[in-house]
Amino acid sequence: MERRENYCVFCEIIGGNVPGNIRYQDDDLLVFDNQLHGLWVPVMLLVVPRRHYSQEEFWTSDEFAAAAKIAVRMGSQYCPDGYRLITNVGSQAMQSQSHGHIHVIGGTRLGMYVYGPVPFA
Amino acid sequence: MERRENYCVFCEIIGGNVPGNIRYQDDDLLVFDNQLHGLWVPVMLLVVPRRHYSQEEFWTSDEFAAAAKIAVRMGSQYCPDGYRLITNVGSQAMQSQSHGHIHVIGGTRLGMYVYGPVPFA
């Protein structure tokens, strides 16, 4: 594993230095619980590449097709009544982790996918 | 184009029977404006396969890696300060169109990606 210049909690979970509730792993990808799992909505999972890609690197990477399949598998397994797949890119999307990931959220009615200024102002 | 049992507005846009503001197209994929483009948030695009896949079929399809690359290209082009990529699967995620798609939304501060019961109750 390449040493990161900045601390990355996802890299630490992947490296086994920080505990994570790992739901799936293979040579390229892991799925573990968001720290908010069960707090904001019942199911909050993260599909994460082992390599420290940016979001856009991840979405254009060789690993992404497999990651998409895993995201769908996790969603249908843990959220049989529906789930939302999300990636936030950049500041206006409130991206908080530099390490690329797909959110898998569900387990309740999720409300609208836009929580924006109109018509929710 | 396979004839659909039920009306699908995305298939109609793809077939040229319903107008759409098409931002990109190739042999497998199109990007066009959501009808809500500019209403809920400034940028609301849809990355859509020509084939009438379900959401889960799309995310596990041969076309998906290319779709992911296009989604990132559209996001960075139209939303240089950040964007959110979303797919809603099933009723609890308020999926409204059967035809698989990725939402690309941005052009403003998007707020939290969870608009759920906690802590927003």
Side-chain angles (χ1 to χ4, degrees), chain A residues 34 39-40 56 59 68 72 81-89 92-94 103 108 110-113 115 118, chain B residues 34 39-40 56 59 81-89 91-94 103 108 110-113 115 118:
Chain A
N34 191 316
L39 294 177
W40 288 2
E56 292 183 338
W59 274 66
V72 162
D81 296 323
Y83 54 93
R84 185 166 289 157
L85 304 172
I86 302 168
T87 285
N88 300 311
V89 184
Q92 289 200 326
M94 302 186 72
H103 294 274
T108 187
L110 290 170
M112 299 300 293
Y113 67 92
Y115 175 61
V118 179
Chain B
N34 191 316
L39 295 177
W40 288 3
E56 292 183 339
W59 274 66
D81 295 324
Y83 55 93
R84 185 165 289 157
L85 305 172
I86 303 169
T87 286
N88 299 312
V89 185
S91 62
Q92 288 200 327
M94 301 186 75
H103 293 275
T108 187
L110 290 171
M112 299 301 292
Y113 67 92
Y115 174 61
V118 180

Side-chain angles (χ1 to χ4, degrees), chain B residues 41-83:
Chain B
V41 294
V43 178
M44 301 185 75
L45 305 175
L46 297 161
V47 180
V48 179
R50 288 189 185 274
R51 285 193 62 182
H52 184 98
Y53 287 128
S54 72
Q55 297 284 42
E56 292 183 339
E57 287 168 347
F58 179 39
W59 274 66
T60 59
S61 72
D62 290 343
E63 294 95 316
F64 197 73
K69 290 184 173 73
I70 294 297
V72 162
R73 189 200 303 180
M74 294 292 117
S76 56
Q77 178 176 343
Y78 292 105
C79 312
D81 295 324
Y83 55 93

